[in-house]
Amino acid sequence: MRLVFVGPPGAGKGTQAKVITEKWKIPQISTGDMLREAKKNGKLAPELVEKMGKGGLVPDEVVIDLIKQRTELPDAANGFLLDGFPRTVPQAEALNDLLASRGQKLNVVVALDVAKELLMERACLRRTDKRTGQIYHLKYNPPPPEADLEHRADDQEETVRNRVDVYEKMTADLLPFYEKAGLLRRVDGVGDVKEVTARVLSAIEQSK
Ligand code: AP5
C-alpha cells in the first residue's frame, strides 16, 4: 500500500499517520519531520531554515530529493505513507515519475478536511515528546507529566496563519490533480481521533 496524506497544518495528518503505519507496519515518511531533523543536525541551508520558520514551503527539488532517497530504503519496499508530500503539482508529477520508474503506483490520496478556525487551536496547542515523537495537544490530548515536550518553532499563531494561507495557495491545484487521477478520498478530520481513524480506514478500504 502506497498512500499520501494531504491536509492543512494541524489537520491531523501526523496523528492519523502514526496509527495507520503502526497497524500496517509501513513507514511514515514525513517531509516536515525530515526537514526538522536536518535542521536539528545543522544540515539544512540557512535560507531554508528561515523559510520554514516563516511558514513558507521549501523548494520542490529539495523535498523531491529527500523522498527519492527515503523511499529507496528497504523498509519502504512493501509500501509507505507519505505525510505532507506532495504539496504542489510539480511534486506530485515527480512522485508519479519516480514510482513509474520503479514499476509502482499510488493506491490512494487521503485529504483531511478541517475548518480553518479549528486549525489554529490544533497547531498552536500542539506539543511533541522529543524522545518518542508522540504528538499531544494541551487541550484534547494532554501529555503525561514525564513527557519531554517540545513546541514547534513554526507553531506560533502568526506563522500558523501564514502556513494555512500557503497551504491554500500552493495546494489549490493538487487536489483537482488527484481527483482527476481518481485517487482522491476526502475525509472529515473533525471529531475524536479514533472516529477520524475509522473514517480514514473506510476511505482507504473503498479505494481498494
Ligand atoms: P509539516 O511538518 O508537514 O507540517 P504541516 O503540514 O503544516 O502539518 P502539521 O505537522 O502542522 O499538522 P498535522 O496535520 O500533521 O497535524 P497533527 O497530527 O500534528 O511541514 C512543516 C514545514 O516543512 C512546512 O511549513 C514547509 O516549510 C516544510 N515542508 C514540509 N513538507 C514540504 C513539502 N512537501 N514541500 C515544501 N515544503 C515542505 O495534529 C495537530 C494537533 O492537533 C496535535 O496537537 C494533535 O494532538 C491534535 N489533533 C489531531 N487530531 C485531532 C482530533 N481529531 N481532535 C482534536 N485534536 C486533534
Side-chain angles (χ1 to χ4, degrees):
M1 179 59 96
R2 290 177 198 88
L3 61 157
V4 165
F5 273 8
V6 187
K13 303 181 295 294
T15 301
Q16 295 299 330
K18 282 212 161 37
V19 181
I20 307 280
T21 52
E22 271 165 28
K23 188 176 160 72
W24 290 349
K25 313 252 179 298
I26 54 173
Q28 172 192 357
I29 301 181
S30 155
T31 37
D33 285 348
M34 286 192 273
L35 290 166
R36 280 186 289 279
E37 187 65 20
K39 178 184 158 196
K40 200 165 88 186
N41 297 331
K43 289 185 177 159
L44 194 64
E47 62 273 20
L48 301 190
V49 172
E50 195 186 335
K51 198 147 215 179
M52 275 183 83
K54 288 185 181 159
L57 295 189
V58 308
D60 288 337
E61 55 274 19
V62 172
V63 280
I64 290 167
D65 201 43
L66 284 176
I67 288 294
K68 213 177 207 166
Q69 292 178 30
R70 179 61 185 88
T71 54
E72 264 166 13
L73 297 184
D75 68 339
N78 293 323
F80 46 75
L81 189 161
L82 300 179
D83 162 7
F85 177 95
R87 267 169 148 95
T88 64
V89 170
Q91 290 180 20
E93 287 170 338
L95 178 63
N96 277 353
D97 292 347
L98 177 69
L99 293 177
S101 73
R102 297 174 184 163
Q104 300 170 342
K105 56 187 177 61
L106 273 183
N107 298 92
V108 60
V109 175
V110 175
L112 282 177
D113 291 322
V114 174
K116 212 171 177 174
E117 44 297 359
L118 277 178
L119 297 173
M120 296 304 297
E121 185 192 47
R122 283 214 189 161
C124 294
L125 296 184
R126 167 180 33 207
R127 297 293 184 274
T128 310
D129 189 323
K130 270 191 251 178
R131 285 171 305 207
T132 62
Q134 181 64 43
I135 304 166
Y136 295 101
H137 190 277
L138 295 181
K139 184 169 163 190
Y140 300 118
N141 180 18
E146 68 274 14
D148 187 5
L149 296 180
E150 186 167 50
H151 189 192
R152 255 169 64 174
D154 59 353
D155 275 348
Q156 306 300 329
E157 199 173 323
E158 201 180 317
T159 317
V160 176
R161 215 177 291 284
N162 189 35
R163 284 162 57 205
V164 173
D165 288 347
V166 168
Y167 173 83
E168 285 175 350
K169 279 190 204 114
M170 301 300 282
T171 57
D173 299 332
L174 186 69
L175 299 188
F177 175 91
Y178 279 130
E179 186 141 46
K180 212 168 150 197
L183 288 171
L184 187 69
R185 299 287 176 274
R186 298 197 83 127
V187 171
D188 179 4
V190 181
D192 185 69
V193 170
K194 286 197 173 125
E195 250 173 72
V196 178
T197 305
R199 286 181 208 141
V200 170
L201 287 171
S202 151
I204 295 170
E205 204 51 47
Q206 282 166 27
S207 70
K208 276 185 186 167

